[in-house]
Amino acid sequence: MIEALCPDSDSTRDAAAALAANLRPGDIVVLTGPLGAGKTTFVQGVGRGLGVRDRVTSPTFTLVRPHACVNGRGIVTMHHADVYRVDGADEVWDLALGELVEESAVALVEWGELTSGVWGPTHSTVTATWEGEARRWRVSGPLAEREPLPEGWSPC
């Protein structure tokens, strides 16, 4: 497990951009944490790290929003999903995120813990918790085990 303590939104975006360097095509990353913890802000940072040039906003009502990426690592699309409003695992299965990321994409799923059985054992989880005004981001799963350790992240 690795973690980063971020005192504000800018440092959250910076930490997430650094973490993006360790993403690989096919990765599914579930973001968990309380409402207002900064999950979308985190995804914005990952998008910056992957070379997303369009605006990253919450896909709460569209459920999944694809973003084209420009980088040299073979990731051409970042799928940003928000499953807060889905009624159950069946609706999440219908999104077919696993199929969308098979070749050259990654998926970041806000509120993915609501349907954890869908993602399987190979997904990574990013959890946000509050520490005063700061956010502590903890990453578990394959993404946390990759080298090198992203700048601003430490083992925990």
Side-chain angles (χ1 to χ4, degrees):
M1 189 176 303
I2 59 174
E3 66 180 6
L5 185 63
C6 300
D8 55 33
S9 294
D10 288 337
S11 62
T12 292
R13 286 185 196 94
D14 291 344
L19 186 67
N22 285 10
L23 284 170
R24 296 179 184 160
D27 281 346
I28 295 177
V29 180
V30 172
L31 291 103
T32 70
L35 190 64
K39 293 179 288 294
T40 299
T41 301
F42 193 91
V43 175
Q44 290 169 346
V46 170
R48 186 178 78 204
L50 292 176
V52 171
R53 294 189 173 141
D54 57 335
R55 187 167 179 244
V56 176
T57 60
S58 178
T60 301
F61 296 102
T62 58
L63 298 182
V64 180
R65 185 171 284 141
H67 296 277
C69 302
V70 178
N71 59 66
R73 296 193 325 274
I75 298 172
V76 298
T77 307
M78 177 184 82
H79 296 284
H80 180 196
D82 184 329
V83 296
Y84 182 74
R85 299 193 185 281
V86 300
D87 289 328
D90 288 343
E91 282 187 56
V92 176
W93 279 110
D94 290 344
L95 297 176
L97 286 172
E99 296 169 19
L100 292 174
V101 300
E102 284 177 350
E103 298 278 330
S104 57
V106 297
L108 287 94
V109 185
E110 295 187 41
W111 300 101
E113 74 275 19
L114 299 175
T115 53
S116 59
V118 172
W119 311 116
T122 60
H123 76 277
S124 296
T125 301
V126 176
T127 302
T129 57
W130 288 100
E131 289 196 17
E133 294 296 314
R135 292 170 186 92
R136 182 170 303 277
W137 297 94
R138 286 201 167 129
V139 180
S140 61
L143 186 55
E145 299 164 6
R146 295 183 185 149
E147 298 291 334
L149 194 62
E151 183 177 334
W153 291 84
S154 59
C156 58

